[in-house]
Amino acid sequence: MTEINASIRFDQRLYRQDIRGSMAHCRMLVRQGLISPAEGKKIQAGLQTILREIEAGRFKIDLKLEDIHMHVEARLAELIGKPAGRLHTARSRNDQVATDFRLWVRDAIDRIDAGLLDLQKTLLRRAEEYAATVMPGFTHLQAAQPVTFGHHLMAYVEMVGRDRSRLNDARARLNESPLGAAALAGTSLPIDRTSTAMELGFDRPMANSLDAVADRDYALEFLSIASICAVHLSRLAEEIVIWTSAQFRFITLSDAFTTGSSIMPQKRNPDAAELVRGKVGRIIGSLNALLITMKGLPMTYGKDMQEDKEPTFDAVDSLELCIAATAGMVADLKANSARMQEAAGEGYTTATDLADWCVRKIDMPFRQAHHVAGSLVKLAESQDKPLEALTLKEMQSVEPRISKDIFAVLGVQNSVKSRVSYGGTAPANVAKQIARWRKLLAKEKGKADAR
């Protein structure tokens, strides 16, 4: 029973939040006249001592005390005696752990958001560097149309931006205080839940005491967002694995983010990228674990809910590490621009430009233009040469109205420069999007500084 009941091995992570919540609760009890100022002073001093002991590694763990909350309470009694028993006035472990865990998830969100901001800035720097570097864009992992490497990296800036937006939305929803809901029904004592909520940085106290102790939506929402974010990181990691392969040779990573083979001396393996890709399963698994734990629980608290912490802790550890590793790889990578441009011209990737020219210049319906372009691709394939190497006469044998102006849109450089629609890959567009994002992030920093 001791083994299965105890959570101290993992919930000791909550010690800062637990002590912070207890201090706020203590000050409120003093203000409300529920404990004396002298008792409050002793409690605050004792809690500060416990905090120093934990951070110095001198705090003793005893499985019989179950969790971090009981450990702090027991040590406080050892330090200050009878006044320690006053701290639990108008409070239950149910609302206490709900408060601590909510604070911990909020702190984790803030750290992860800061990590994602750093990743965005790193992607922006590299996108600017490679704004005009041509590479093949793919569908079905087949060369489709030329794009720029900067444009490709900017796609991840957008994806990470949505991840951060979801985190901020989730943070706003979780930012209500359960403290003072007690076991499940509130308390008859004259407490001030608004003051403790404000002191702990919450926007307000939770409005329903049952919901306050039963709710783990905030953890589920966070894990859902973490899973989506991890999938984004995994997609970039998979591309890094592909791009570094001998078959692609689009980029190289230094020894800082690769490892050697134990038997093949020529190999440099993209292990950091593979591990980012691999850790997604753990993060998604954490979401599934908590969903399954919560799905059959009636109101309000059941000991099952002790299982909320380990998957969340593990997901946060994994995600923070993946974000840092991804930012490191993006900063470290070196593009093989010549190879990228060569690959961008393979597979007749400018065929759509040819079809678009027919639509634009000779007013041809797109389906007909698509057919013309396809016929010219077959002609070029039969001669084993790129589209732009066909002569005007050869092109006119398929469509007589084609003029020499067609050559202005063929070739990968011409292709990317022509993609000027909003969101397109033209280098000028990429530069505008980089500037837009830098402006957005600068505004965001101003708001954070104001807070």
Side-chain angles (χ1 to χ4, degrees), residues 172-173 175-178 193-194 197-198 201-207:
R173 268 185 291 279
N175 208 35
E176 297 183 337
S177 174
R193 293 188 63 209
T194 298
M198 295 299 107
F202 291 114
D203 295 328
R204 63 192 71 84
M206 294 185 74

Side-chain angles (χ1 to χ4, degrees), residues 15 50-59:
Y15 74 89
I50 293 168
L51 181 61
R52 288 192 296 271
E53 288 178 347
I54 295 173
E55 294 189 334
R58 298 195 309 268
F59 195 77

